[in-house]
Amino acid sequence: MFEAKLTEGLILKKIVESIKDIVTDVNIDISPSGISLQAMDSSHVALVSLNLSMDGFEHYRADTNMVLGVSIANLAKVMKLADNNDQITLQADQEATHLKIIFENPKTERTTEFNLNLITIDSEHLAIPETEYSSVVTINSGEFSKICKELFSLSETVQITTNTDYVQFSVEGEVGSGQVRLGHNDSEKKEDQTILEVSESVQQQFAIRYLNMFNKASTLSSFTRLCLHQEQPLVVEFKIDNLGVLKYFLAPKISD
Amino acid sequence: KFKQKDMTYFFKNK
């Protein structure tokens, strides 16, 4: 038996919106301590990893580990039934064939229920090692979104360079070339802060198209954390207050 | 030209 109730259902709705363009069918792993999922995009260059702790739920019960195979596209359609102020409850029996999703609005007394059919997914589960990233950049999520969006209109690829003084996003395309450079900024206004933790400089190139997809999660968190390490995938991380973390991994582009 | 390596190149299968 699994049951989890989230008071702020909007968070779950935002999570589904933030991953639905990247992954299609996903195994959701239920454990007594929380909910997690890991899935790659169809081209296997990006990976989504979500971890939600049971502590963030108003009510959480999972007697055993369970795997719920879900079509994210269909889950997104079901989530459209939820009002932004709804509480969301997820329920599944042992050996379940469907996931019951309940939306409740205590103010308007409206309740919506949907039984989403589960699917069997044969997916690879990768072991992601604990990595000491040599450059970690914490940046306002709205600002990072805007930088990626605007640079994408100029180039398909962005080069991210870090050093102890700044992080630089540079592009080179038919239009020309240029860069956005952000220095370490620990101003009193928290939302303006850019925090650089660089032990070793990194220079890597990435497909901006993916970064734009990841940035859909910027509504989940005020800050985006970029973790870089030469020869390793970039991690774009969004902390979800009191609930968990949504991480995206993206393979760097390398010269052929 | 650029290429991107598969995620399974970086992270091993469990």
Side-chain angles (χ1 to χ4, degrees):
Chain A
M1 168 75 185
F2 160 64
E3 185 172 271
K5 183 175 186 176
L6 193 62
T7 310
E8 204 181 330
L10 180 60
I11 295 175
L12 206 56
K13 204 174 163 175
K14 285 178 178 174
I15 291 172
V16 174
E17 278 301 306
S18 306
I19 64 174
K20 78 170 171 46
D21 294 339
I22 303 165
V23 294
T24 47
D25 297 337
V26 168
N27 276 329
I28 300 174
D29 296 304
I30 308 292
S31 85
S33 61
I35 300 174
S36 64
L37 69 80
Q38 187 200 92
M40 282 186 280
D41 78 309
S42 58
S43 60
H44 286 199
V45 298
L47 182 144
V48 175
S49 163
L50 172 72
N51 279 292
L52 303 178
S53 161
M54 64 168 289
D55 298 330
F57 291 85
E58 187 194 343
H59 164 76
Y60 189 92
R61 177 188 162 186
D63 302 333
T64 54
N65 288 339
M66 292 168 81
V67 177
L68 307 175
V70 163
S71 149
I72 290 293
N74 290 340
L75 181 60
K77 288 178 199 165
V78 176
M79 284 293 170
K80 294 257 189 233
L81 290 169
D83 187 81
N84 285 350
N85 300 311
D86 281 358
Q87 303 174 344
I88 297 183
T89 303
L90 306 173
Q91 276 177 2
D93 295 327
Q94 221 60 41
E95 311 294 329
T97 56
H98 62 261
L99 171 67
K100 182 183 270 191
I101 306 168
I102 306 161
F103 306 119
E104 290 170 289
N105 189 320
K107 273 199 186 136
T108 63
E109 293 292 330
R110 189 178 78 161
T111 305
T112 306
E113 257 188 49
F114 196 90
N115 289 315
L116 178 68
N117 290 336
L118 297 177
I119 51 178
T120 305
I121 305 161
D122 186 21
S123 73
E124 292 173 281
H125 205 87
L126 304 180
I128 302 168
E130 284 289 319
T131 306
E132 281 276 327
Y133 289 94
S134 56
S135 295
V136 178
V137 179
T138 307
I139 174 176
N140 180 289
S141 58
E143 177 159 24
F144 181 60
S145 275
K146 188 169 189 305
I147 290 171
C148 293
K149 187 171 158 259
E150 307 305 355
L151 290 181
F152 187 53
S153 66
L154 297 162
S155 172
E156 283 180 9
T157 304
V158 63
Q159 177 166 284
I160 304 181
T161 308
T162 63
N163 58 45
T164 47
D165 296 323
Y166 57 80
V167 56
Q168 177 173 289
F169 305 95
S170 50
V171 292
E172 205 180 313
E174 280 174 29
V175 186
S177 62
Q179 72 280 325
V180 179
R181 191 179 280 183
L182 300 173
H184 185 88
N185 171 357
D186 54 6
S187 73
E188 280 181 23
K189 235 177 142 192
K190 190 155 194 298
E191 63 264 35
D192 290 343
Q193 289 183 351
T194 302
I195 307 297
L196 304 172
E197 296 159 277
V198 177
S199 60
E200 214 171 302
S201 166
V202 175
Q203 189 169 74
Q204 287 179 311
Q205 312 210 52
F206 300 99
I208 305 176
R209 191 170 72 85
Y210 281 94
L211 299 177
N212 285 339
M213 289 194 273
F214 302 166
N215 283 332
K216 284 203 163 181
S218 63
T219 57
L220 283 164
S221 193
S222 318
F223 287 92
T224 308
R225 227 161 75 107
L226 307 175
C227 304
L228 299 109
H229 198 96
Q230 207 68 42
E231 314 297 334
Q232 285 293 316
L234 164 73
V235 190
V236 182
E237 195 180 294
F238 297 88
K239 279 219 162 62
I240 308 167
D241 276 347
N242 305 317
L243 188 62
V245 63
L246 177 57
K247 291 181 189 179
Y248 300 92
F249 294 81
L250 180 62
K253 284 187 163 190
I254 42 180
S255 301
D256 202 359
Chain B
K1 267 271 118 353
F2 290 113
K3 64 176 183 183
Q4 282 162 289
K5 283 211 161 76
D6 195 296
M7 265 306 148
T8 51
Y9 167 84
F10 300 103
F11 305 134
K12 295 270 177 291
N13 270 301
K14 247 184 189 169

